Amino acid sequence: MKTVVSFLSIILVTFAMPSHSVESIEVNINPNWDSSYITEGQDNLDSGGLFSVDLGLSKDDFSFGLWLAKGSTESYKEINFYAEYGFSISDIEGYLGYTHILMPEEAHEEDQDNEIGFGLAYTAMQWVQPAIDYVWSSESNHSYAELSLSSDLIEGESQYQISPYALVSYDFGYVTEDYDGINHKQLGLEFSLALSEWHSLQLGLHHSRAGRNLKKDDKGNESWMNVGFSSEF
């Protein structure tokens, strides 16, 4: 509870600060369905998919949000509170973020985590964007990193967008405490359809191949899809 109160206090202080920018506060609502709850190349549920909704507020370079998730067939619930600061230096875009993860049904067992994330992307190249993302977990006191390449195939103003991506991840005890090394490789194709200036539909197709790290933990390959809707106000 103290973490939630502190998180809300940070939001109030940030949005109450005087700003020389005329930009208003942006509100984002993003419901989503995943056929499987896959993160770091492994399924987090024994069966079924995941329904989730992301509620976000952003102003200038700061973003705050609440992510709520529930298993479609399994009795699973998860709540994430997050804050992020975005920045750019020449052709490099980056972010620094904090996430508090809570499992309500298991809160009495203190099944929660605090994560610090950091990422950089190089945006100067026309057809491909290389990026690195890194996260550290307070619960495991270990970290995890991804190297990725992504591209937007349709240039200019268009109602449609197709974005393929490829990534490889390395585990430093974040996914499996007993092993370190290449965790998984992943390919994906994301489609976006703009319904208006403020609303869009998303469809994603993804395939993950288990690396040495996951194979040692008896985990295999995964394929899944997601469907989402995005609204901005």
PDB file of all heavy atoms in Angstrom, residues 170-207:
ATOM      1  N   TYR A 170      19.046 -11.906 -23.647  1.00  0.00           N
ATOM      2  CA  TYR A 170      20.083 -12.510 -22.810  1.00  0.00           C
ATOM      3  C   TYR A 170      19.628 -12.414 -21.363  1.00  0.00           C
ATOM      4  O   TYR A 170      19.216 -11.351 -20.893  1.00  0.00           O
ATOM      5  CB  TYR A 170      21.418 -11.802 -23.007  1.00  0.00           C
ATOM      6  CG  TYR A 170      22.603 -12.590 -22.495  1.00  0.00           C
ATOM      7  CD1 TYR A 170      23.336 -13.397 -23.355  1.00  0.00           C
ATOM      8  CD2 TYR A 170      22.966 -12.540 -21.158  1.00  0.00           C
ATOM      9  CE1 TYR A 170      24.410 -14.136 -22.893  1.00  0.00           C
ATOM     10  CE2 TYR A 170      24.039 -13.276 -20.681  1.00  0.00           C
ATOM     11  CZ  TYR A 170      24.772 -14.067 -21.554  1.00  0.00           C
ATOM     12  OH  TYR A 170      25.834 -14.811 -21.084  1.00  0.00           O
ATOM     13  N   ASP A 171      19.693 -13.535 -20.648  1.00  0.00           N
ATOM     14  CA  ASP A 171      19.233 -13.590 -19.268  1.00  0.00           C
ATOM     15  C   ASP A 171      20.416 -13.557 -18.300  1.00  0.00           C
ATOM     16  O   ASP A 171      21.393 -14.277 -18.470  1.00  0.00           O
ATOM     17  CB  ASP A 171      18.411 -14.865 -19.045  1.00  0.00           C
ATOM     18  CG  ASP A 171      17.849 -14.944 -17.635  1.00  0.00           C
ATOM     19  OD1 ASP A 171      17.502 -13.890 -17.081  1.00  0.00           O
ATOM     20  OD2 ASP A 171      17.751 -16.064 -17.099  1.00  0.00           O
ATOM     21  N   PHE A 172      20.292 -12.699 -17.290  1.00  0.00           N
ATOM     22  CA  PHE A 172      21.299 -12.614 -16.227  1.00  0.00           C
ATOM     23  C   PHE A 172      20.680 -13.055 -14.897  1.00  0.00           C
ATOM     24  O   PHE A 172      20.834 -12.395 -13.871  1.00  0.00           O
ATOM     25  CB  PHE A 172      21.832 -11.183 -16.104  1.00  0.00           C
ATOM     26  CG  PHE A 172      22.471 -10.650 -17.350  1.00  0.00           C
ATOM     27  CD1 PHE A 172      21.724  -9.924 -18.270  1.00  0.00           C
ATOM     28  CD2 PHE A 172      23.815 -10.866 -17.615  1.00  0.00           C
ATOM     29  CE1 PHE A 172      22.300  -9.417 -19.428  1.00  0.00           C
ATOM     30  CE2 PHE A 172      24.407 -10.367 -18.771  1.00  0.00           C
ATOM     31  CZ  PHE A 172      23.648  -9.638 -19.675  1.00  0.00           C
ATOM     32  N   GLY A 173      19.913 -14.153 -14.919  1.00  0.00           N
ATOM     33  CA  GLY A 173      19.270 -14.657 -13.712  1.00  0.00           C
ATOM     34  C   GLY A 173      17.871 -14.138 -13.487  1.00  0.00           C
ATOM     35  O   GLY A 173      17.220 -14.505 -12.509  1.00  0.00           O
ATOM     36  N   TYR A 174      17.367 -13.296 -14.384  1.00  0.00           N
ATOM     37  CA  TYR A 174      16.025 -12.718 -14.255  1.00  0.00           C
ATOM     38  C   TYR A 174      14.947 -13.754 -14.580  1.00  0.00           C
ATOM     39  O   TYR A 174      13.934 -13.850 -13.887  1.00  0.00           O
ATOM     40  CB  TYR A 174      15.925 -11.525 -15.203  1.00  0.00           C
ATOM     41  CG  TYR A 174      14.581 -10.850 -15.284  1.00  0.00           C
ATOM     42  CD1 TYR A 174      14.286  -9.762 -14.469  1.00  0.00           C
ATOM     43  CD2 TYR A 174      13.619 -11.261 -16.215  1.00  0.00           C
ATOM     44  CE1 TYR A 174      13.062  -9.110 -14.563  1.00  0.00           C
ATOM     45  CE2 TYR A 174      12.399 -10.620 -16.311  1.00  0.00           C
ATOM     46  CZ  TYR A 174      12.126  -9.550 -15.483  1.00  0.00           C
ATOM     47  OH  TYR A 174      10.910  -8.914 -15.584  1.00  0.00           O
ATOM     48  N   VAL A 175      15.156 -14.528 -15.629  1.00  0.00           N
ATOM     49  CA  VAL A 175      14.177 -15.527 -16.057  1.00  0.00           C
ATOM     50  C   VAL A 175      14.381 -16.842 -15.308  1.00  0.00           C
ATOM     51  O   VAL A 175      13.436 -17.411 -14.761  1.00  0.00           O
ATOM     52  CB  VAL A 175      14.268 -15.758 -17.585  1.00  0.00           C
ATOM     53  CG1 VAL A 175      13.244 -16.797 -18.034  1.00  0.00           C
ATOM     54  CG2 VAL A 175      14.058 -14.446 -18.334  1.00  0.00           C
ATOM     55  N   THR A 176      15.602 -17.352 -15.317  1.00  0.00           N
ATOM     56  CA  THR A 176      15.939 -18.576 -14.595  1.00  0.00           C
ATOM     57  C   THR A 176      17.159 -18.310 -13.728  1.00  0.00           C
ATOM     58  O   THR A 176      18.208 -17.895 -14.228  1.00  0.00           O
ATOM     59  CB  THR A 176      16.245 -19.736 -15.562  1.00  0.00           C
ATOM     60  OG1 THR A 176      17.300 -19.337 -16.450  1.00  0.00           O
ATOM     61  CG2 THR A 176      15.020 -20.092 -16.390  1.00  0.00           C
ATOM     62  N   GLU A 177      17.037 -18.522 -12.442  1.00  0.00           N
ATOM     63  CA  GLU A 177      18.123 -18.216 -11.515  1.00  0.00           C
ATOM     64  C   GLU A 177      19.323 -19.139 -11.695  1.00  0.00           C
ATOM     65  O   GLU A 177      20.454 -18.764 -11.396  1.00  0.00           O
ATOM     66  CB  GLU A 177      17.622 -18.296 -10.067  1.00  0.00           C
ATOM     67  CG  GLU A 177      16.590 -17.235  -9.718  1.00  0.00           C
ATOM     68  CD  GLU A 177      16.217 -17.280  -8.258  1.00  0.00           C
ATOM     69  OE1 GLU A 177      16.815 -18.104  -7.516  1.00  0.00           O
ATOM     70  OE2 GLU A 177      15.332 -16.509  -7.842  1.00  0.00           O
ATOM     71  N   ASP A 178      19.080 -20.356 -12.184  1.00  0.00           N
ATOM     72  CA  ASP A 178      20.157 -21.348 -12.261  1.00  0.00           C
ATOM     73  C   ASP A 178      21.028 -21.209 -13.504  1.00  0.00           C
ATOM     74  O   ASP A 178      22.107 -21.789 -13.563  1.00  0.00           O
ATOM     75  CB  ASP A 178      19.569 -22.766 -12.211  1.00  0.00           C
ATOM     76  CG  ASP A 178      18.862 -23.041 -10.897  1.00  0.00           C
ATOM     77  OD1 ASP A 178      19.260 -22.436  -9.881  1.00  0.00           O
ATOM     78  OD2 ASP A 178      17.913 -23.842 -10.902  1.00  0.00           O
ATOM     79  N   TYR A 179      20.545 -20.460 -14.514  1.00  0.00           N
ATOM     80  CA  TYR A 179      21.294 -20.377 -15.758  1.00  0.00           C
ATOM     81  C   TYR A 179      21.389 -18.928 -16.232  1.00  0.00           C
ATOM     82  O   TYR A 179      20.503 -18.114 -15.992  1.00  0.00           O
ATOM     83  CB  TYR A 179      20.623 -21.214 -16.855  1.00  0.00           C
ATOM     84  CG  TYR A 179      20.187 -22.584 -16.428  1.00  0.00           C
ATOM     85  CD1 TYR A 179      18.843 -22.900 -16.292  1.00  0.00           C
ATOM     86  CD2 TYR A 179      21.123 -23.584 -16.150  1.00  0.00           C
ATOM     87  CE1 TYR A 179      18.427 -24.164 -15.892  1.00  0.00           C
ATOM     88  CE2 TYR A 179      20.722 -24.845 -15.758  1.00  0.00           C
ATOM     89  CZ  TYR A 179      19.377 -25.126 -15.624  1.00  0.00           C
ATOM     90  OH  TYR A 179      18.979 -26.367 -15.232  1.00  0.00           O
ATOM     91  N   ASP A 180      22.464 -18.633 -16.938  1.00  0.00           N
ATOM     92  CA  ASP A 180      22.629 -17.356 -17.635  1.00  0.00           C
ATOM     93  C   ASP A 180      22.954 -17.661 -19.095  1.00  0.00           C
ATOM     94  O   ASP A 180      23.551 -18.686 -19.400  1.00  0.00           O
ATOM     95  CB  ASP A 180      23.780 -16.532 -17.036  1.00  0.00           C
ATOM     96  CG  ASP A 180      23.419 -15.940 -15.684  1.00  0.00           C
ATOM     97  OD1 ASP A 180      22.231 -15.897 -15.357  1.00  0.00           O
ATOM     98  OD2 ASP A 180      24.333 -15.529 -14.955  1.00  0.00           O
ATOM     99  N   GLY A 181      22.568 -16.758 -19.978  1.00  0.00           N
ATOM    100  CA  GLY A 181      22.905 -16.961 -21.381  1.00  0.00           C
ATOM    101  C   GLY A 181      21.792 -16.530 -22.304  1.00  0.00           C
ATOM    102  O   GLY A 181      20.839 -15.851 -21.900  1.00  0.00           O
ATOM    103  N   ILE A 182      21.912 -16.912 -23.590  1.00  0.00           N
ATOM    104  CA  ILE A 182      20.893 -16.582 -24.581  1.00  0.00           C
ATOM    105  C   ILE A 182      19.555 -17.169 -24.139  1.00  0.00           C
ATOM    106  O   ILE A 182      19.430 -18.377 -23.961  1.00  0.00           O
ATOM    107  CB  ILE A 182      21.275 -17.120 -25.968  1.00  0.00           C
ATOM    108  CG1 ILE A 182      22.592 -16.490 -26.443  1.00  0.00           C
ATOM    109  CG2 ILE A 182      20.156 -16.837 -26.966  1.00  0.00           C
ATOM    110  CD1 ILE A 182      22.516 -14.994 -26.664  1.00  0.00           C
ATOM    111  N   ASN A 183      18.557 -16.316 -23.957  1.00  0.00           N
ATOM    112  CA  ASN A 183      17.275 -16.770 -23.434  1.00  0.00           C
ATOM    113  C   ASN A 183      16.333 -17.227 -24.539  1.00  0.00           C
ATOM    114  O   ASN A 183      15.805 -18.334 -24.503  1.00  0.00           O
ATOM    115  CB  ASN A 183      16.621 -15.645 -22.637  1.00  0.00           C
ATOM    116  CG  ASN A 183      15.393 -16.096 -21.899  1.00  0.00           C
ATOM    117  OD1 ASN A 183      15.472 -16.872 -20.958  1.00  0.00           O
ATOM    118  ND2 ASN A 183      14.225 -15.624 -22.323  1.00  0.00           N
ATOM    119  N   HIS A 184      16.118 -16.374 -25.547  1.00  0.00           N
ATOM    120  CA  HIS A 184      15.249 -16.752 -26.666  1.00  0.00           C
ATOM    121  C   HIS A 184      15.460 -15.799 -27.835  1.00  0.00           C
ATOM    122  O   HIS A 184      16.039 -14.707 -27.689  1.00  0.00           O
ATOM    123  CB  HIS A 184      13.779 -16.766 -26.246  1.00  0.00           C
ATOM    124  CG  HIS A 184      13.137 -15.412 -26.162  1.00  0.00           C
ATOM    125  ND1 HIS A 184      13.505 -14.453 -25.236  1.00  0.00           N
ATOM    126  CD2 HIS A 184      12.146 -14.841 -26.906  1.00  0.00           C
ATOM    127  CE1 HIS A 184      12.765 -13.374 -25.403  1.00  0.00           C
ATOM    128  NE2 HIS A 184      11.943 -13.572 -26.411  1.00  0.00           N
ATOM    129  N   LYS A 185      14.988 -16.231 -29.000  1.00  0.00           N
ATOM    130  CA  LYS A 185      14.951 -15.395 -30.194  1.00  0.00           C
ATOM    131  C   LYS A 185      13.497 -15.284 -30.629  1.00  0.00           C
ATOM    132  O   LYS A 185      12.740 -16.245 -30.509  1.00  0.00           O
ATOM    133  CB  LYS A 185      15.810 -16.000 -31.305  1.00  0.00           C
ATOM    134  CG  LYS A 185      17.281 -16.130 -30.939  1.00  0.00           C
ATOM    135  CD  LYS A 185      18.070 -16.842 -32.028  1.00  0.00           C
ATOM    136  CE  LYS A 185      19.526 -17.006 -31.619  1.00  0.00           C
ATOM    137  NZ  LYS A 185      20.328 -17.735 -32.649  1.00  0.00           N
ATOM    138  N   GLN A 186      13.128 -14.119 -31.126  1.00  0.00           N
ATOM    139  CA  GLN A 186      11.721 -13.898 -31.426  1.00  0.00           C
ATOM    140  C   GLN A 186      11.537 -13.112 -32.718  1.00  0.00           C
ATOM    141  O   GLN A 186      12.283 -12.163 -32.997  1.00  0.00           O
ATOM    142  CB  GLN A 186      11.073 -13.135 -30.267  1.00  0.00           C
ATOM    143  CG  GLN A 186       9.567 -12.955 -30.382  1.00  0.00           C
ATOM    144  CD  GLN A 186       8.975 -12.393 -29.108  1.00  0.00           C
ATOM    145  OE1 GLN A 186       9.282 -12.864 -28.008  1.00  0.00           O
ATOM    146  NE2 GLN A 186       8.134 -11.376 -29.237  1.00  0.00           N
ATOM    147  N   LEU A 187      10.552 -13.524 -33.513  1.00  0.00           N
ATOM    148  CA  LEU A 187      10.158 -12.820 -34.722  1.00  0.00           C
ATOM    149  C   LEU A 187       8.688 -12.435 -34.601  1.00  0.00           C
ATOM    150  O   LEU A 187       7.890 -13.176 -34.000  1.00  0.00           O
ATOM    151  CB  LEU A 187      10.352 -13.701 -35.959  1.00  0.00           C
ATOM    152  CG  LEU A 187      11.775 -14.113 -36.312  1.00  0.00           C
ATOM    153  CD1 LEU A 187      11.751 -15.095 -37.481  1.00  0.00           C
ATOM    154  CD2 LEU A 187      12.616 -12.888 -36.665  1.00  0.00           C
ATOM    155  N   GLY A 188       8.329 -11.291 -35.183  1.00  0.00           N
ATOM    156  CA  GLY A 188       6.941 -10.872 -35.098  1.00  0.00           C
ATOM    157  C   GLY A 188       6.557  -9.928 -36.209  1.00  0.00           C
ATOM    158  O   GLY A 188       7.407  -9.322 -36.873  1.00  0.00           O
ATOM    159  N   LEU A 189       5.247  -9.815 -36.429  1.00  0.00           N
ATOM    160  CA  LEU A 189       4.698  -8.910 -37.431  1.00  0.00           C
ATOM    161  C   LEU A 189       3.502  -8.211 -36.797  1.00  0.00           C
ATOM    162  O   LEU A 189       2.561  -8.866 -36.341  1.00  0.00           O
ATOM    163  CB  LEU A 189       4.270  -9.693 -38.670  1.00  0.00           C
ATOM    164  CG  LEU A 189       4.001  -8.900 -39.950  1.00  0.00           C
ATOM    165  CD1 LEU A 189       5.245  -8.123 -40.374  1.00  0.00           C
ATOM    166  CD2 LEU A 189       3.553  -9.829 -41.056  1.00  0.00           C
ATOM    167  N   GLU A 190       3.552  -6.888 -36.763  1.00  0.00           N
ATOM    168  CA  GLU A 190       2.490  -6.110 -36.142  1.00  0.00           C
ATOM    169  C   GLU A 190       1.787  -5.252 -37.181  1.00  0.00           C
ATOM    170  O   GLU A 190       2.438  -4.573 -37.983  1.00  0.00           O
ATOM    171  CB  GLU A 190       3.068  -5.242 -35.020  1.00  0.00           C
ATOM    172  CG  GLU A 190       3.686  -6.079 -33.899  1.00  0.00           C
ATOM    173  CD  GLU A 190       4.342  -5.232 -32.829  1.00  0.00           C
ATOM    174  OE1 GLU A 190       4.705  -4.072 -33.131  1.00  0.00           O
ATOM    175  OE2 GLU A 190       4.489  -5.719 -31.697  1.00  0.00           O
ATOM    176  N   PHE A 191       0.449  -5.299 -37.178  1.00  0.00           N
ATOM    177  CA  PHE A 191      -0.374  -4.528 -38.104  1.00  0.00           C
ATOM    178  C   PHE A 191      -1.150  -3.467 -37.319  1.00  0.00           C
ATOM    179  O   PHE A 191      -1.607  -3.723 -36.207  1.00  0.00           O
ATOM    180  CB  PHE A 191      -1.382  -5.439 -38.821  1.00  0.00           C
ATOM    181  CG  PHE A 191      -0.761  -6.583 -39.555  1.00  0.00           C
ATOM    182  CD1 PHE A 191      -0.522  -7.795 -38.910  1.00  0.00           C
ATOM    183  CD2 PHE A 191      -0.415  -6.470 -40.894  1.00  0.00           C
ATOM    184  CE1 PHE A 191       0.045  -8.863 -39.571  1.00  0.00           C
ATOM    185  CE2 PHE A 191       0.145  -7.532 -41.579  1.00  0.00           C
ATOM    186  CZ  PHE A 191       0.384  -8.733 -40.911  1.00  0.00           C
ATOM    187  N   SER A 192      -1.303  -2.294 -37.913  1.00  0.00           N
ATOM    188  CA  SER A 192      -2.062  -1.225 -37.282  1.00  0.00           C
ATOM    189  C   SER A 192      -3.000  -0.591 -38.309  1.00  0.00           C
ATOM    190  O   SER A 192      -2.604  -0.327 -39.447  1.00  0.00           O
ATOM    191  CB  SER A 192      -1.122  -0.151 -36.714  1.00  0.00           C
ATOM    192  OG  SER A 192      -1.853   0.924 -36.155  1.00  0.00           O
ATOM    193  N   LEU A 193      -4.236  -0.352 -37.905  1.00  0.00           N
ATOM    194  CA  LEU A 193      -5.241   0.276 -38.759  1.00  0.00           C
ATOM    195  C   LEU A 193      -5.794   1.491 -38.034  1.00  0.00           C
ATOM    196  O   LEU A 193      -6.417   1.361 -36.963  1.00  0.00           O
ATOM    197  CB  LEU A 193      -6.372  -0.700 -39.083  1.00  0.00           C
ATOM    198  CG  LEU A 193      -7.608  -0.108 -39.757  1.00  0.00           C
ATOM    199  CD1 LEU A 193      -7.262   0.481 -41.124  1.00  0.00           C
ATOM    200  CD2 LEU A 193      -8.709  -1.158 -39.889  1.00  0.00           C
ATOM    201  N   ALA A 194      -5.571   2.683 -38.576  1.00  0.00           N
ATOM    202  CA  ALA A 194      -6.068   3.917 -37.971  1.00  0.00           C
ATOM    203  C   ALA A 194      -7.539   4.105 -38.329  1.00  0.00           C
ATOM    204  O   ALA A 194      -7.895   4.221 -39.501  1.00  0.00           O
ATOM    205  CB  ALA A 194      -5.247   5.102 -38.459  1.00  0.00           C
ATOM    206  N   LEU A 195      -8.397   4.114 -37.328  1.00  0.00           N
ATOM    207  CA  LEU A 195      -9.825   4.324 -37.536  1.00  0.00           C
ATOM    208  C   LEU A 195     -10.159   5.812 -37.584  1.00  0.00           C
ATOM    209  O   LEU A 195     -11.127   6.214 -38.213  1.00  0.00           O
ATOM    210  CB  LEU A 195     -10.620   3.651 -36.421  1.00  0.00           C
ATOM    211  CG  LEU A 195     -10.380   2.149 -36.242  1.00  0.00           C
ATOM    212  CD1 LEU A 195     -11.177   1.628 -35.059  1.00  0.00           C
ATOM    213  CD2 LEU A 195     -10.746   1.388 -37.514  1.00  0.00           C
ATOM    214  N   SER A 196      -9.355   6.599 -36.893  1.00  0.00           N
ATOM    215  CA  SER A 196      -9.485   8.050 -36.885  1.00  0.00           C
ATOM    216  C   SER A 196      -8.162   8.612 -36.390  1.00  0.00           C
ATOM    217  O   SER A 196      -7.189   7.876 -36.202  1.00  0.00           O
ATOM    218  CB  SER A 196     -10.637   8.495 -35.974  1.00  0.00           C
ATOM    219  OG  SER A 196     -10.315   8.245 -34.613  1.00  0.00           O
ATOM    220  N   GLU A 197      -8.120   9.897 -36.152  1.00  0.00           N
ATOM    221  CA  GLU A 197      -6.893  10.519 -35.653  1.00  0.00           C
ATOM    222  C   GLU A 197      -6.544  10.020 -34.258  1.00  0.00           C
ATOM    223  O   GLU A 197      -5.382  10.005 -33.863  1.00  0.00           O
ATOM    224  CB  GLU A 197      -7.055  12.032 -35.638  1.00  0.00           C
ATOM    225  CG  GLU A 197      -5.802  12.793 -35.220  1.00  0.00           C
ATOM    226  CD  GLU A 197      -6.000  14.289 -35.245  1.00  0.00           C
ATOM    227  OE1 GLU A 197      -7.109  14.751 -35.594  1.00  0.00           O
ATOM    228  OE2 GLU A 197      -5.037  15.011 -34.904  1.00  0.00           O
ATOM    229  N   TRP A 198      -7.554   9.567 -33.515  1.00  0.00           N
ATOM    230  CA  TRP A 198      -7.347   9.218 -32.113  1.00  0.00           C
ATOM    231  C   TRP A 198      -7.574   7.742 -31.797  1.00  0.00           C
ATOM    232  O   TRP A 198      -7.340   7.317 -30.676  1.00  0.00           O
ATOM    233  CB  TRP A 198      -8.284  10.065 -31.233  1.00  0.00           C
ATOM    234  CG  TRP A 198      -8.197  11.525 -31.517  1.00  0.00           C
ATOM    235  CD1 TRP A 198      -9.130  12.305 -32.140  1.00  0.00           C
ATOM    236  CD2 TRP A 198      -7.104  12.394 -31.222  1.00  0.00           C
ATOM    237  NE1 TRP A 198      -8.704  13.598 -32.243  1.00  0.00           N
ATOM    238  CE2 TRP A 198      -7.455  13.687 -31.683  1.00  0.00           C
ATOM    239  CE3 TRP A 198      -5.858  12.215 -30.609  1.00  0.00           C
ATOM    240  CZ2 TRP A 198      -6.612  14.779 -31.563  1.00  0.00           C
ATOM    241  CZ3 TRP A 198      -5.011  13.301 -30.488  1.00  0.00           C
ATOM    242  CH2 TRP A 198      -5.394  14.567 -30.960  1.00  0.00           C
ATOM    243  N   HIS A 199      -8.044   6.967 -32.749  1.00  0.00           N
ATOM    244  CA  HIS A 199      -8.388   5.570 -32.465  1.00  0.00           C
ATOM    245  C   HIS A 199      -7.766   4.652 -33.513  1.00  0.00           C
ATOM    246  O   HIS A 199      -7.735   4.979 -34.700  1.00  0.00           O
ATOM    247  CB  HIS A 199      -9.907   5.372 -32.466  1.00  0.00           C
ATOM    248  CG  HIS A 199     -10.648   6.322 -31.585  1.00  0.00           C
ATOM    249  ND1 HIS A 199     -10.610   6.254 -30.215  1.00  0.00           N
ATOM    250  CD2 HIS A 199     -11.435   7.386 -31.890  1.00  0.00           C
ATOM    251  CE1 HIS A 199     -11.343   7.219 -29.696  1.00  0.00           C
ATOM    252  NE2 HIS A 199     -11.855   7.932 -30.701  1.00  0.00           N
ATOM    253  N   SER A 200      -7.297   3.488 -33.059  1.00  0.00           N
ATOM    254  CA  SER A 200      -6.694   2.529 -33.990  1.00  0.00           C
ATOM    255  C   SER A 200      -6.854   1.101 -33.473  1.00  0.00           C
ATOM    256  O   SER A 200      -7.046   0.875 -32.271  1.00  0.00           O
ATOM    257  CB  SER A 200      -5.202   2.846 -34.184  1.00  0.00           C
ATOM    258  OG  SER A 200      -4.491   2.701 -32.963  1.00  0.00           O
ATOM    259  N   LEU A 201      -6.760   0.163 -34.405  1.00  0.00           N
ATOM    260  CA  LEU A 201      -6.797  -1.265 -34.104  1.00  0.00           C
ATOM    261  C   LEU A 201      -5.413  -1.862 -34.338  1.00  0.00           C
ATOM    262  O   LEU A 201      -4.700  -1.434 -35.248  1.00  0.00           O
ATOM    263  CB  LEU A 201      -7.812  -1.984 -34.981  1.00  0.00           C
ATOM    264  CG  LEU A 201      -9.289  -1.724 -34.708  1.00  0.00           C
ATOM    265  CD1 LEU A 201     -10.136  -2.368 -35.804  1.00  0.00           C
ATOM    266  CD2 LEU A 201      -9.693  -2.279 -33.344  1.00  0.00           C
ATOM    267  N   GLN A 202      -5.022  -2.856 -33.517  1.00  0.00           N
ATOM    268  CA  GLN A 202      -3.734  -3.518 -33.687  1.00  0.00           C
ATOM    269  C   GLN A 202      -3.909  -5.036 -33.714  1.00  0.00           C
ATOM    270  O   GLN A 202      -4.775  -5.586 -33.040  1.00  0.00           O
ATOM    271  CB  GLN A 202      -2.769  -3.158 -32.537  1.00  0.00           C
ATOM    272  CG  GLN A 202      -2.343  -1.710 -32.471  1.00  0.00           C
ATOM    273  CD  GLN A 202      -3.301  -0.863 -31.663  1.00  0.00           C
ATOM    274  OE1 GLN A 202      -3.872  -1.315 -30.694  1.00  0.00           O
ATOM    275  NE2 GLN A 202      -3.480   0.382 -32.079  1.00  0.00           N
ATOM    276  N   LEU A 203      -3.071  -5.671 -34.526  1.00  0.00           N
ATOM    277  CA  LEU A 203      -3.006  -7.130 -34.589  1.00  0.00           C
ATOM    278  C   LEU A 203      -1.543  -7.523 -34.618  1.00  0.00           C
ATOM    279  O   LEU A 203      -0.758  -6.957 -35.385  1.00  0.00           O
ATOM    280  CB  LEU A 203      -3.722  -7.648 -35.833  1.00  0.00           C
ATOM    281  CG  LEU A 203      -3.519  -9.132 -36.165  1.00  0.00           C
ATOM    282  CD1 LEU A 203      -4.153 -10.005 -35.090  1.00  0.00           C
ATOM    283  CD2 LEU A 203      -4.071  -9.472 -37.539  1.00  0.00           C
ATOM    284  N   GLY A 204      -1.164  -8.477 -33.770  1.00  0.00           N
ATOM    285  CA  GLY A 204       0.220  -8.923 -33.742  1.00  0.00           C
ATOM    286  C   GLY A 204       0.330 -10.436 -33.852  1.00  0.00           C
ATOM    287  O   GLY A 204      -0.464 -11.167 -33.257  1.00  0.00           O
ATOM    288  N   LEU A 205       1.306 -10.900 -34.625  1.00  0.00           N
ATOM    289  CA  LEU A 205       1.618 -12.328 -34.760  1.00  0.00           C
ATOM    290  C   LEU A 205       3.058 -12.524 -34.326  1.00  0.00           C
ATOM    291  O   LEU A 205       3.959 -11.828 -34.809  1.00  0.00           O
ATOM    292  CB  LEU A 205       1.430 -12.789 -36.213  1.00  0.00           C
ATOM    293  CG  LEU A 205       0.060 -12.525 -36.833  1.00  0.00           C
ATOM    294  CD1 LEU A 205       0.073 -12.894 -38.316  1.00  0.00           C
ATOM    295  CD2 LEU A 205      -1.028 -13.304 -36.098  1.00  0.00           C
ATOM    296  N   HIS A 206       3.308 -13.480 -33.411  1.00  0.00           N
ATOM    297  CA  HIS A 206       4.622 -13.609 -32.801  1.00  0.00           C
ATOM    298  C   HIS A 206       5.042 -15.073 -32.686  1.00  0.00           C
ATOM    299  O   HIS A 206       4.207 -15.947 -32.468  1.00  0.00           O
ATOM    300  CB  HIS A 206       4.617 -12.991 -31.392  1.00  0.00           C
ATOM    301  CG  HIS A 206       3.879 -11.692 -31.302  1.00  0.00           C
ATOM    302  ND1 HIS A 206       4.482 -10.481 -31.524  1.00  0.00           N
ATOM    303  CD2 HIS A 206       2.576 -11.418 -31.003  1.00  0.00           C
ATOM    304  CE1 HIS A 206       3.593  -9.512 -31.376  1.00  0.00           C
ATOM    305  NE2 HIS A 206       2.431 -10.052 -31.056  1.00  0.00           N
ATOM    306  N   HIS A 207       6.344 -15.312 -32.826  1.00  0.00           N
ATOM    307  CA  HIS A 207       6.895 -16.654 -32.638  1.00  0.00           C
ATOM    308  C   HIS A 207       8.224 -16.543 -31.907  1.00  0.00           C
ATOM    309  O   HIS A 207       9.091 -15.753 -32.278  1.00  0.00           O
ATOM    310  CB  HIS A 207       7.106 -17.376 -33.961  1.00  0.00           C
ATOM    311  CG  HIS A 207       7.708 -18.730 -33.801  1.00  0.00           C
ATOM    312  ND1 HIS A 207       7.006 -19.805 -33.277  1.00  0.00           N
ATOM    313  CD2 HIS A 207       8.962 -19.191 -34.072  1.00  0.00           C
ATOM    314  CE1 HIS A 207       7.794 -20.866 -33.237  1.00  0.00           C
ATOM    315  NE2 HIS A 207       8.978 -20.526 -33.707  1.00  0.00           N
TER     316      HIS A 207
END
